[in-house]
């Protein structure tokens, strides 16, 4: 009798990840980590009072949106062996503005205005759209360098605003758990976010033979950056909420 299995189509629904595909591996693990982090943030949300609940919710939304994108990016990489640039930038364009919202939510107690949030969101969108141009549209000659430079200007504006600008003054006025959380998030933006331009240089042309020649893969660098900045960032907010609650 003919086995039922022989009638199955040759292509399975699950794409194979080969042993030495370490890029595919980081997409896979990244996906799981984002899912687990989302479950953690969503389930712990209700342990906190209103002020912090929204912040934890936003942490969960950031990792959840990333989990869904990683699901697609993992598949895309497995199927085509190419960078899923489009999904990557859609993910960032949704999650990075949410991180700007997180800064605002934390500083709201100290009297932060919505205008601060919109300034940060606008700068982050400029940073990402110009980065996309350099990575996916103007990919030859000086294209990546020029668009990367404009992107970096927007990035440094965000760094300035939170480290030295009005956001810093609000955090100092608030003190306590708010100031501590703000400082930690500032470090994420200065050090954690700096991982991304390195990935960009590994994957685009025009950097004197490129970081890619050191054997560094752009997607691996981006995936490590995302794990640190999305899950770590959310955990800092969670820690601040726990600290604030224990002091009340
Ligand atoms: C969860 C995703 C995050 C936090 C993504 C952050 C992305 C950046 C900070 C990207 C920055 C870039 C530059 C500063 C210059 C080169 C182009 C980019 C877009 C990679």
């Amino acid at each position: 009798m003919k086995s039922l299995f022989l009638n199955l189509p040759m292509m399975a629904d699950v794409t194979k990840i080969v042993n030495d595909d370490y890029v595919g591996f980081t997409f896979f693990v990244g996906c799981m980590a984002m899912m687990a982090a989302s479950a953690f943030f969503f389930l712990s949300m209700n342990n906190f009072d209103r002020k912090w609940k929204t912040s934890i919710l936003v942490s969960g939304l950031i990792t959840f949106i990333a989990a869904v994108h990683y699901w697609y990016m993992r598949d895309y990489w497995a199927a085509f062996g190419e960078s899923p640039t489009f999904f990557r930038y859609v993910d960032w364009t949704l999650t990075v503005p949410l991180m700007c919202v997180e800064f605002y939510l934390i500083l709201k107690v100290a009297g932060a205005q919505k205008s601060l949030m919109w300034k940060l969101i606008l700068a982050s969108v400029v940073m990402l759209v110009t980065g996309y141009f350099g990575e996916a549209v103007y990919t030859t000659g000086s294209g990546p360098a020029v668009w990367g430079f404009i992107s970096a200007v927007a990035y440094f504006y965000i760094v300035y605003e939170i480290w030295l600008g009005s956001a810093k003054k609000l955090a100092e006025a608030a003190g306590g758990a708010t100031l501590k959380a703000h400082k930690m998030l500032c470090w994420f933006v200065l050090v954690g976010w700096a991982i991304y331009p390195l990935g960009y240089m590994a994957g685009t042309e025009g950097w004197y033979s490129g970081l890619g020649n050191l054997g560094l893969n752009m997607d691996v660098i981006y995936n490590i950056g995302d794990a640190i900045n999305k899950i770590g960032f959310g955990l800092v907010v969670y820690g601040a909420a726990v600290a604030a609650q224990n002091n009340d």
Side-chain angles (χ1 to χ4, degrees), residues 7-52:
N7 291 330
L8 287 173
M10 288 303 289
M11 272 290 270
D13 283 342
V14 177
T15 341
K16 188 173 172 180
I17 296 183
V18 285
N19 290 341
D20 60 354
D21 178 8
Y22 65 100
V23 182
F25 173 76
T26 60
F27 275 118
F28 194 87
V29 174
C31 188
M32 288 303 150
M34 295 296 177
M35 285 187 194
S38 310
F40 175 79
F41 292 131
F42 288 146
L43 291 172
S44 62
M45 238 177 85
N46 287 323
N47 299 339
F48 300 99
D49 54 24
R50 257 191 74 203
K51 178 172 107 56
W52 287 99

Side-chain angles (χ1 to χ4, degrees), residues 89 92 95-96 99 127 131 148 151 155 193 196-197 200 226 230:
Y89 275 84
W92 289 353
T95 52
V96 176
M99 292 180 163
M127 173 182 85
S151 175
Y155 167 62
W193 288 20
Y196 297 98
Y200 179 86
D226 279 355
K230 292 186 166 62

Side-chain angles (χ1 to χ4, degrees), residues 27 65-66 68-70 72-73 76 82-98 121 123-139 143-145 147-152 154-155 193 195-205 207 218-219 221-223 226 230:
F27 275 118
I65 292 170
V68 176
H69 283 84
Y70 267 75
Y72 283 99
M73 291 199 288
Y76 186 96
E82 267 174 29
S83 284
T85 310
F86 175 77
F87 291 116
R88 176 82 74 191
Y89 275 84
V90 174
D91 173 346
W92 289 353
T93 311
L94 296 170
T95 52
V96 176
L98 280 175
I121 289 178
S124 71
V125 171
V126 170
M127 173 182 85
L128 295 171
V129 170
T130 53
Y132 183 78
F133 283 163
E135 201 173 309
V137 185
Y138 305 101
T139 56
W147 289 103
F149 175 78
I150 301 171
S151 175
Y155 167 62
W193 288 20
I195 295 170
Y196 297 98
L198 293 178
Y200 179 86
M201 288 195 271
T204 53
E205 261 181 47
W207 309 98
M218 177 178 73
D219 285 293
I221 299 174
Y222 283 166
N223 292 351
D226 279 355
K230 292 186 166 62

